[in-house]
């Protein structure tokens, strides 16, 4: 198992009810698998599934990236600017 710290920003923080969580993931788990597990635990995230952005250890990450051991994963909704 792989323990990771997951940080939530903006509306994601509101949907989860926490700024961060410690999670145990299977070795080799991907960002996409992490998102799916979070949606199982926090169904309100489902409507944003495809637009949630991720960064692993402060670098943007795609859904197919395997999460390294003891990583910090930041999740945030898309941002718009003017």
């Amino acid at each position: 198992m792989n323990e990771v710290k997951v940080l939530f920003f903006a509306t994601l923080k509101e949907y989860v009810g926490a700024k961060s969580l410690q999670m145990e993931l299977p070795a080799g788990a991907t960002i996409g698998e992490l998102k799916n597990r979070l949606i199982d635990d926090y169904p309100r995230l489902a409507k944003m599934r495809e637009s949630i952005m991720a960064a692993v250890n402060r670098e943007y990450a795609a859904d197919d990236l395997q999460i390294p051991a003891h990583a910090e994963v930041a999740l945030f909704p898309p941002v718009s600017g003017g």
Side-chain angles (χ1 to χ4, degrees):
M1 293 298 268
N2 176 14
E3 185 172 316
V4 298
K5 182 175 185 177
V6 183
L7 306 173
F8 302 96
F9 293 91
T11 54
L12 301 181
K13 180 172 52 174
E14 295 171 21
Y15 289 176
V16 173
K19 292 190 284 188
S20 67
L21 296 173
Q22 290 292 127
M23 296 183 69
E24 290 278 336
L25 300 173
T30 65
I31 292 294
E33 292 166 337
L34 170 63
K35 287 180 184 179
N36 290 338
R37 180 161 161 206
L38 287 167
I39 288 167
D40 288 344
D41 293 343
Y42 305 95
R44 290 179 67 192
L45 296 174
K47 65 182 177 181
M48 301 179 74
R49 166 62 169 99
E50 296 305 316
S51 61
I52 294 172
M53 307 274 303
V56 174
N57 297 329
R58 300 182 183 201
E59 293 190 23
Y60 286 111
D63 279 0
D64 62 350
L65 178 82
Q66 287 188 352
I67 302 169
H70 310 291
E72 179 181 81
V73 179
L75 298 176
F76 47 95
V79 294
S80 61

